[in-house]
Amino acid sequence: MLNHIRPKNVTELLEALDKQYYHVFAGGTDLMIRKRQWQGAERKFDKDIAFISHLDELNGIEETTDSYIIKTLVTQAEMTKSDILPEYLKTPFSQMANIAIRNIATVGGNVVNAATVGDSIPVLMALDAKLVLKNIYGERTLEIDEFIQGKYKTVKKDNEILEKIIIPKVEFDGYRYKKLGQRKAGILSKLSIFIVYKKDNDDLTDIRIAIGAVNEIPIRLKEEEKKLIETKDINRYLDKLSSAINSKDDNRSTKNYREQISKRLVRKYLEEIMQGGI
Ligand SMILES: Cc1cc2nc3c(=O)[nH]c(=O)nc-3n(C[C@H](O)[C@H](O)[C@H](O)COP(=O)(O)OP(=O)(O)OC[C@H]3O[C@@H](n4cnc5c(N)ncnc54)[C@H](O)[C@@H]3O)c2cc1C
């Protein structure tokens, strides 16, 4: 039998987490699947539960002069409706799951779950997001790529929560987002591509390219992005992308499909961007 707590505030939550293990339950859309073991979900959900969705301290979207701050309980639907956030950040969230799930699924839950198919992760990686983790003794701030170590693996300690996500503000000139799945709504990605860029007249000055749901962790080749700006050599970038793909065939797709389609789409987008498209 599972017990549950509903802490009054974050301090009470952190005190409880310091004493014993709890499954932190935000929207529950990943946790409930784990409990039911649908579709061969790999992990059990067998520990006591700490409900957090009522904690206002962990909710809201804010803006400072240089960052967007997304508190962990912000839902996917709230991301898409925000007056503060730019379109490049809203679009990927509008394509996750379905309306019912988006209304309860949290951004923090997607990140902490660290699924290979977690659609927010490539987006946050491309945007150099930082995560603020908190326990009763203090807090630490990590780059998202330091936080995620593999499929369902993060460096979060059992007594820590994700409090918020900090996204540096950049005035990008354009973006591309493509998510491919077996059908349109409520489907896990076979692959996703997120690109944001800046241009000075026709010259590319910044580009970030993240490919999700292919490898265990999204692919972002930061050095190759710099080379692409210097050399404009799309073929070189695509060769490096091929070498970075190490996915296996699985029930979502094959390695060959992911490699061929991601290269084809990235080529199309880079050609559009470099030839003056917005
Ligand atoms: C029908 C369906 C469709 C879906 N489609 C998509 C999709 O298209 N794209 C996609 O990426 N995902 C999809 N998902 C997965 C899921 O909806 C998302 O990953 C969602 O964002 C998880 O958020 P949650 O609040 O429900 O997380 P929960 O299930 O509450 O938590 C997930 C994990 O994170 C931990 N956790 C949550 N918040 C915190 C916190 N603040 N601090 C510490 N630990 C925390 C929990 O303990 C748990 O381990 C889908 C799920 C369903 C059921």
Side-chain angles (χ1 to χ4, degrees):
M1 182 83 165
L2 298 177
N3 294 313
H4 73 272
I5 57 166
R6 211 180 131 80
K8 282 203 284 298
N9 51 42
V10 171
T11 307
E12 202 176 291
L13 168 68
L14 296 177
E15 280 168 359
L17 289 178
D18 203 48
K19 291 198 188 101
Q20 74 157 81
Y21 186 92
Y22 285 96
H23 286 297
V24 171
F25 192 111
T29 61
D30 277 316
L31 279 174
M32 291 311 291
I33 284 177
R34 218 186 290 179
K35 169 75 176 159
R36 298 219 174 177
Q37 302 277 287
W38 284 335
Q39 298 196 335
E42 289 163 33
R43 300 151 304 148
K44 285 202 179 109
F45 163 32
D46 52 5
K47 302 272 189 330
D48 291 347
I49 302 155
F51 288 107
I52 65 166
S53 65
H54 57 287
L55 295 175
D56 291 343
E57 292 166 82
L58 297 178
N59 213 337
I61 301 175
E62 290 161 17
E63 173 179 42
T64 65
T65 45
D66 55 7
S67 307
Y68 300 109
I69 296 168
I70 318 286
K71 304 259 190 85
T72 188
L73 289 178
V74 170
T75 62
Q76 294 168 356
E78 285 163 344
M79 290 293 286
T80 68
K81 289 180 201 146
S82 165
D83 293 332
I84 295 176
L85 299 177
E87 286 305 314
Y88 63 76
L89 202 39
K90 294 178 178 187
T91 300
F93 286 91
S94 70
Q95 294 182 28
M96 287 185 200
N98 54 48
I99 295 172
I101 295 288
R102 286 201 293 275
N103 279 332
I104 50 171
T106 65
V107 182
N110 195 257
V111 172
V112 176
N113 197 50
T116 297
V117 292
D119 286 322
S120 70
I121 298 169
V123 173
L124 295 173
M125 278 189 176
L127 299 174
D128 292 334
K130 294 184 172 50
L131 307 181
V132 179
L133 302 176
K134 228 175 173 174
N135 65 15
I136 199 69
Y137 306 103
E139 64 177 48
R140 57 183 178 138
T141 303
L142 299 177
E143 305 282 339
I144 186 164
D145 39 11
E146 296 173 276
F147 178 75
I148 296 189
Q149 298 285 303
K151 183 178 176 185
Y152 301 128
K153 277 194 213 124
T154 74
V155 297
K156 189 185 80 60
K157 297 179 188 148
D158 289 348
N159 69 353
E160 283 179 319
I161 59 160
L162 171 64
E163 184 198 23
K164 60 189 172 193
I165 300 164
I166 302 174
I167 303 174
K169 260 189 196 170
V170 179
E171 296 263 325
F172 291 108
D173 292 311
Y175 72 98
R176 297 288 186 282
Y177 181 69
K178 185 80 176 172
K179 167 174 168 168
L180 293 181
Q182 258 153 351
R183 54 190 151 83
K184 271 203 165 148
I187 192 67
L188 300 179
S189 289
K190 280 173 189 268
L191 70 91
S192 68
I193 295 171
F194 181 69
I195 304 179
V196 277
Y197 62 92
K198 280 178 77 149
K199 286 172 105 175
D200 183 6
N201 294 319
D202 274 346
D203 277 338
L204 206 54
T205 55
D206 188 358
I207 188 156
R208 331 267 184 89
I209 306 164
I211 321 282
V214 170
N215 289 358
E216 282 197 0
I217 302 178
I219 302 170
R220 181 163 175 218
L221 306 172
K222 291 187 188 175
E223 284 309 309
E224 292 309 318
E225 292 167 0
K226 286 186 204 146
K227 288 262 163 42
L228 189 60
I229 292 171
E230 273 165 42
T231 64
K232 302 185 172 60
D233 187 345
I234 296 176
N235 287 332
R236 182 200 150 94
Y237 179 85
L238 294 176
D239 284 347
K240 299 289 175 182
L241 178 60
S242 277
S243 315
I245 293 178
N246 61 20
S247 74
K248 302 188 186 96
D249 295 356
D250 62 23
N251 55 10
R252 284 179 296 121
S253 190
T254 63
K255 176 178 193 275
N256 186 45
Y257 172 89
R258 291 184 177 111
E259 183 170 340
Q260 296 312 318
I261 301 296
S262 49
K263 282 172 63 180
R264 204 176 299 166
L265 286 170
V266 172
R267 176 185 294 285
K268 171 179 177 292
Y269 294 145
L270 291 180
E271 284 174 355
E272 283 170 11
I273 292 166
M274 289 182 167
Q275 284 160 14
I278 306 170

